[in-house]
Amino acid sequence: MENTLRYILLVTCSLCAIHSSFMDSSWSTKKHPEWKKLILTHHWPVTVCKMAEQKCQEIPNYWTLHGLWTDRSQMCNNSWHFDYDEIKDMLADMNKWWPDVLHPNGSQLWKHEWQKHGTCAATLPCLNTQHKYFSKGLALYASVNLNSALEKFGIKPANTYKVEEIENAVLNVYGVVAKIQCLPPQQGEDVQILGQIEICFTKDFNLQNCTVEPEDELLLTKKTNMKWRVSYEELHVCDKLLNTYYPPVQ
Ligand SMILES: *[C@@H]1O[C@H](CO)[C@@H](O)[C@H](O)[C@H]1NC(C)=O
Ligand SMILES: *[C@@H]1O[C@H](CO)[C@@H](O)[C@H](O)[C@H]1NC(C)=O
Ligand SMILES: *[C@@H]1O[C@H](CO)[C@@H](O)[C@H](O)[C@H]1NC(C)=O
């Protein structure tokens, strides 16, 4: 499974690998440190709605795509505006797999993701248009297929787990360590709520561990946190000692 996945990802974007090092040297600036890792971020819609304290209509019963991020840099080109028309041919897939959970029209989320992350990812030739960026996000999401990976290991909504169980399921299927984030326990409770799962890739789209290197930790703390409607700052790496609740769609 793991090898098949790697193979697919390699074949679909082998061109990127060849050109990426060349592109880096001409694109990267001091203001935006060279990024090293792509992060495919999945979120659990029930938790997203809970965080926004919003009654959502028709909550998807599967992990949806939050974004395709780069580590180390954000907001790399403020003059490169989001263009809804560029992704018109993918709207059906975007709405299904990369929806704005809080709003029926996903364009606010996509605009945010493009400005904050896409403009940085665009240093790779195979991500250097909005169409390429969003379609690559969808393609990675489909090949990773996190939903079936979790199911295969019996990780199902309405149950409580130790975060290691979820981490091990991911490790078993993909051979890499994911970053798993939770909403900390609400007052008077002792259970954290599963919210986000990040799967990491190298610049040539091979899976890699999501472990944070010390130098990156420093950069992360310096970053200005731009808030979206949902405050994702409320999510933390899940506490290994606490129980983790995987809330069901009501
Ligand atoms: C930023 O985006 C604009 C609009 O696409 C483009 O013309 C410009 O070259 C980009 N700047 C950099 C530094 O990539
Ligand atoms: C969603 O919003 C965009 C940008 O505001 C708009 O162009 C588009 O028509 C909207 N789509 C739907 C289905 O309402
Ligand atoms: C990723 O982490 C796992 C578990 O800690 C380890 O066995 C593996 O060697 C790591 N892989 C890489 C490429 O560092």
Side-chain angles (χ1 to χ4, degrees):
M1 170 76 183
E2 186 194 322
N3 284 340
T4 319
L5 186 64
R6 285 205 177 130
Y7 174 75
I8 294 166
L9 295 172
L10 261 177
V11 169
T12 53
C13 212
S14 52
L15 269 178
C16 296
I18 296 161
H19 292 292
S20 60
S21 49
F22 162 72
M23 288 302 289
D24 286 340
S25 53
S26 54
W27 274 60
S28 65
T29 63
K30 290 222 160 57
K31 195 167 162 228
H32 301 291
E34 186 193 330
W35 58 269
K36 295 189 165 167
K37 202 182 275 178
L38 280 162
I39 305 163
L40 190 72
T41 305
H42 304 73
H43 56 191
W44 180 241
V46 177
T47 307
V48 176
C49 293
K50 189 179 168 62
M51 288 169 69
E53 293 176 339
Q54 189 170 318
K55 268 255 173 287
C56 297
Q57 308 265 312
E58 293 177 49
I59 303 178
N61 195 15
Y62 47 88
W63 288 80
T64 59
L65 194 46
H66 179 174
L68 178 61
W69 301 347
T70 57
D71 65 339
R72 292 160 158 250
S73 50
Q74 296 183 349
M75 308 288 294
C76 292
N77 186 346
N78 291 328
S79 52
W80 200 346
H81 301 298
F82 174 68
D83 180 5
Y84 188 77
D85 288 339
E86 266 204 58
I87 58 167
K88 273 209 159 136
D89 64 318
M90 311 188 271
L91 283 181
D93 282 341
M94 290 295 292
N95 283 319
K96 177 146 199 209
W97 308 116
W98 201 335
D100 182 336
V101 176
L102 304 175
H103 303 93
N105 185 336
S107 67
Q108 275 175 275
L109 170 65
W110 305 329
K111 181 181 176 186
H112 171 88
E113 293 300 314
W114 170 254
Q115 290 179 331
K116 188 170 175 183
H117 307 288
T119 54
C120 299
T123 51
L124 284 187
C126 76
L127 300 175
N128 69 359
T129 69
Q130 295 176 47
H131 193 274
K132 288 186 198 171
Y133 172 73
F134 287 105
S135 60
K136 188 65 188 176
L138 288 172
L140 287 174
Y141 171 89
S143 34
V144 163
N145 200 351
L146 178 66
N147 290 289
S148 75
L150 293 178
E151 236 167 66
K152 189 176 150 194
F153 280 82
I155 311 286
K156 291 184 178 148
N159 292 305
T160 300
Y161 299 94
K162 286 285 182 215
V163 71
E164 267 115 332
E165 294 176 82
I166 302 167
E167 207 172 270
N168 284 337
V170 171
L171 187 59
N172 261 294
V173 176
Y174 308 111
V176 288
V177 178
K179 179 175 169 188
I180 303 177
Q181 290 180 292
C182 288
L183 200 54
Q186 313 284 293
Q187 251 189 341
E189 291 173 18
D190 56 0
V191 181
Q192 58 192 347
I193 294 168
L194 185 60
Q196 193 148 276
I197 297 182
E198 299 179 2
I199 308 276
C200 297
F201 293 88
T202 61
K203 282 188 165 178
D204 46 7
F205 299 92
N206 285 307
L207 288 157
Q208 78 168 105
N209 287 336
C210 284
T211 30
V212 179
E213 293 153 32
E215 50 174 326
D216 291 330
E217 202 128 38
L218 203 68
L219 275 165
L220 280 171
T221 55
K222 283 185 188 161
K223 250 180 221 166
T224 49
N225 282 320
M226 209 187 83
K227 290 202 177 184
W228 186 46
R229 297 172 308 278
V230 171
S231 166
Y232 277 95
E233 281 81 355
E234 288 176 34
L235 288 174
H236 298 287
V237 171
C238 304
D239 187 329
K240 286 193 194 295
L241 299 175
L242 292 174
N243 283 321
T244 304
Y245 185 54
Y246 186 3
V249 174
Q250 295 297 334

